[in-house]
Amino acid sequence: MKRRRIYIGIFIISVLGLFIVQYQYLKIGLNLAKVQFDRKIVRVAEDIKVDLSTENQLSFLVAQAVTKDNYFNLSDDKVKDASQHFLNDFIKESFIKNGIDTDFSYRLYARDTLDYLHSPHSFSNEEELIRYPISIEGYLPELIQKPLILELQFEDLNGYFLSQLNGLTLPSILFIVAIIFVVIWILKSFYWQSNVITTTNNFINNLTHELKTPLFSIGLATKILEEDMQENQKPVISMIRQQVERLKKHIDLVLELGNLESRKNLFELNKVDLRPLLIKWCENFKMIAAVEESKFQCDIAEEEIWVKAEISHLENAVFNLLDNARKYSETPEIYLKAWKREKKIIISIKDNGIGISKKEKEHIFKKYYRVSNGNLHKVKGYGLGLSYVKEIVKRHKGTIKVESEENIGTEVSIILPVTHAN
Ligand code: ADP
């Protein structure tokens, strides 16, 4: 829960950071665009100055409008109109030549007079216009004997600069949105999955507890029955008790797996010499094998075998492997060997059973997985044993290896790291 909050926090901070970085880049981009624009305007101003400084078609027509000379025999308005458009087209062309492509207006005026000329199109919010005045030299001011100014006007240029930066801003916003979308999706499915695991584990825990109560009652009832029972009924009762024991073992296994996965229990590794324990486990299993008339042999290294282990779980794991060797062999001959190699201890359990095919070998460690011919041989199981063994071995920082040949036998090896005696 805490870790989840930390991850979500990091994610939110990262996305916010990304937005801030993008915003800063955008500001830098806008400033650069403004500097570039100002440079272009200086070039435009130079062009206009040069063209209006001498007498030519444009400057002559503008002069007609400014001085109201009636050279063309046309009304003042018509001359004004024509020069307005001519000047407008000239400025526009100069803009395009210098790489400026935005709306503009202009006005031509002398300090102490009203506008002589202004652009055909003008902006409504006069106050907020950005203005670039160009003082005209040469022919025109000499003609009217006054300094003349041509003012270029633009509306808010930020929109124009932004449209120039669109190639950068839009993709980066899109990419950030895509990242947010994907991360949210991953987080959602991850938490959905962990929810499912928790509910499954809760369900397993509840169910196993529910199963244990009636089992306890059956055990108690058989004990009572045992007290006054005839000799010929005894095998029946012992069968019931045996099966109850088996069922209890399976329930414990399911419970342990559930707890291991939800990390509820404390799994504590302690330093221990495995040798005496292995000998004890072998003795125990020998007794079971003797009852079933199966062969069992043990070969344990003569030296001390110190490992960091959680003994009850490791014992369960070894017994699960021994149990499988017994279950999946018709006339079991089982061989347990434990030896040290380099800094490892290898515990191998070999049988002469039905074996596992190469294809099935990949799946046998999955929870609830059973090889179908396991059922064919009428061997009962829940497909939990090996997944439990694997989990336990993993928690001991070890590995597990299976070598098997169909109808010849199987050898399962647990390889654990050894430690020093003190
Ligand atoms: P279970 O024995 O309860 O079915 P396990 O997880 O212990 O579950 O084993 C999974 C499958 O692997 C079994 O169904 C069986 O087919 C196969 N298997 C395990 N051990 C052996 C073995 N020693 N020999 C042959 N098959 C085995």
Side-chain angles (χ1 to χ4, degrees):
M1 197 65 186
K2 205 172 151 201
R3 209 188 286 177
R4 170 178 164 178
R5 285 212 191 113
I6 291 174
Y7 284 147
I8 294 178
I10 292 175
F11 169 64
I12 292 172
I13 291 170
S14 310
V15 170
L16 284 179
L18 254 167
F19 269 119
I20 292 170
V21 170
Q22 285 300 324
Y23 176 69
Q24 296 295 350
Y25 268 126
L26 201 67
K27 259 173 61 182
I28 293 170
L30 283 179
N31 280 339
L32 283 176
K34 174 140 191 0
V35 169
Q36 215 179 23
F37 185 81
D38 285 348
R39 265 192 219 141
K40 286 177 185 171
I41 287 287
V42 169
R43 286 207 298 269
V44 169
E46 283 302 312
D47 285 358
I48 292 172
K49 254 182 172 173
V50 170
D51 264 54
L52 290 183
S53 67
T54 53
E55 188 178 343
N56 53 33
Q57 273 181 330
L58 172 67
S59 58
F60 183 72
L61 190 61
V62 172
Q64 293 302 304
V66 170
T67 57
K68 299 198 173 121
D69 262 0
N70 207 338
Y71 177 86
F72 295 109
N73 249 344
L74 288 169
S75 71
D76 282 355
D77 282 349
K78 280 207 171 125
V79 173
K80 200 173 173 185
D81 200 40
S83 46
Q84 234 178 16
H85 279 95
F86 199 173
L87 187 56
N88 196 70
D89 288 351
F90 168 71
I91 295 172
K92 194 171 186 175
E93 216 171 275
S94 181
F95 275 165
I96 291 171
K97 199 177 100 195
N98 286 289
I100 297 175
D101 177 23
T102 181
D103 288 343
F104 69 93
S105 62
Y106 71 85
R107 73 186 182 107
L108 185 70
Y109 66 97
R111 287 258 146 76
D112 53 349
T113 48
L114 289 173
D115 296 356
Y116 285 125
L117 272 181
H118 54 77
S119 52
H121 142 88
S122 61
F123 296 114
S124 51
N125 48 344
E126 281 270 333
E127 318 273 276
E128 284 165 27
L129 290 181
I130 298 158
R131 300 161 196 274
Y132 290 91
I134 306 164
S135 74
I136 304 297
E137 291 160 8
Y139 170 69
L140 279 170
E142 278 163 19
L143 197 73
I144 56 164
Q145 298 288 306
K146 272 185 221 165
L148 198 61
I149 291 161
L150 175 68
E151 187 181 84
L152 303 177
Q153 303 165 333
F154 301 94
E155 244 183 346
D156 174 30
L157 281 168
N158 275 344
Y160 169 63
F161 296 151
L162 267 179
S163 73
Q164 284 188 318
L165 293 174
N166 254 354
L168 294 177
T169 43
L170 248 165
S172 58
I173 289 173
L174 275 179
F175 288 140
I176 294 177
V177 170
I179 291 173
I180 294 175
F181 183 76
V182 171
V183 171
I184 288 176
W185 183 79
I186 291 172
L187 282 176
K188 239 178 96 180
S189 50
F190 174 74
Y191 291 120
W192 177 80
Q193 224 174 36
S194 67
N195 259 349
V196 171
I197 291 175
T198 327
T199 0
T200 320
N201 280 338
N202 285 345
F203 169 74
I204 289 176
N205 282 353
N206 289 341
L207 184 75
T208 43
H209 283 300
E210 286 300 315
L211 288 175
K212 267 185 161 178
T213 323
L215 216 57
F216 179 73
S217 308
I218 297 171
L220 206 69
T222 44
K223 243 191 193 150
I224 296 167
L225 277 178
E226 234 174 0
E227 280 168 15
D228 47 0
M229 198 175 34
Q230 290 152 21
E231 219 25 62
N232 63 345
Q233 287 172 325
K234 270 199 175 154
V236 182
I237 286 291
S238 101
M239 202 162 89
I240 295 176
R241 292 194 65 165
Q242 222 180 5
Q243 295 307 316
V244 164
E245 277 311 306
R246 264 188 80 186
L247 202 53
K248 228 157 79 187
K249 234 175 70 188
H250 284 307
I251 291 171
D252 282 342
L253 207 64
V254 178
L255 200 63
E256 262 163 21
L257 256 180
N259 282 344
L260 273 181
E261 269 161 24
S262 59
R263 295 181 198 170
K264 258 192 217 148
N265 72 336
L266 285 170
F267 193 90
E268 218 179 306
L269 296 177
N270 292 311
K271 258 188 193 178
V272 57
D273 178 11
L274 260 191
R275 189 166 186 272
L277 292 167
L278 278 167
I279 293 172
K280 195 178 93 190
W281 299 342
C282 277
E283 292 303 320
N284 289 350
F285 195 75
K286 242 178 212 156
M287 285 197 293
I288 299 171
V291 174
E292 293 188 341
E293 288 172 12
S294 47
K295 285 186 187 151
F296 178 62
Q297 252 188 358
C298 242
D299 178 6
I300 293 164
E302 292 296 328
E303 53 195 320
E304 290 179 344
I305 308 166
W306 287 90
V307 289
K308 278 185 181 163
E310 162 69 88
I311 285 308
S312 62
H313 281 294
L314 198 60
E315 179 178 355
N316 280 345
V318 172
F319 264 85
N320 267 309
L321 295 182
L322 288 170
D323 207 32
N324 275 353
R326 182 180 64 84
K327 278 194 314 192
Y328 299 105
S329 310
E330 306 229 345
T331 46
E333 282 178 27
I334 304 162
Y335 184 54
L336 185 148
K337 195 174 164 202
W339 74 101
K340 252 162 111 175
R341 194 204 294 153
E342 288 162 7
K343 285 182 177 160
K344 308 261 188 240
I345 157 84
I346 304 165
I347 307 167
S348 96
I349 289 144
K350 197 173 169 183
D351 64 53
N352 61 338
I354 56 173
I356 308 160
S357 70
K358 267 208 179 94
K359 218 176 99 218
E360 302 284 7
K361 224 166 83 175
E362 293 169 23
H363 305 291
I364 53 172
F365 290 105
K366 286 180 192 158
K367 214 166 156 189
Y368 306 116
Y369 187 85
R370 302 205 68 218
V371 176
S372 48
N373 66 357
N375 285 331
L376 212 89
H377 285 255
K378 296 199 172 48
V379 182
K380 296 283 174 270
Y382 300 96
L384 286 170
L386 286 183
S387 83
Y388 170 76
V389 175
K390 188 167 182 191
E391 180 67 30
I392 295 303
V393 171
K394 198 174 106 193
R395 280 170 184 247
H396 283 83
K397 298 184 177 62
T399 48
I400 185 161
K401 216 173 75 187
V402 180
E403 273 170 53
S404 184
E405 211 167 312
E406 277 182 283
N407 299 321
I408 304 262
T410 305
E411 180 172 6
V412 185
S413 311
I414 295 178
I415 303 151
L416 303 178
V418 290
T419 181
H420 303 290
N422 39 47

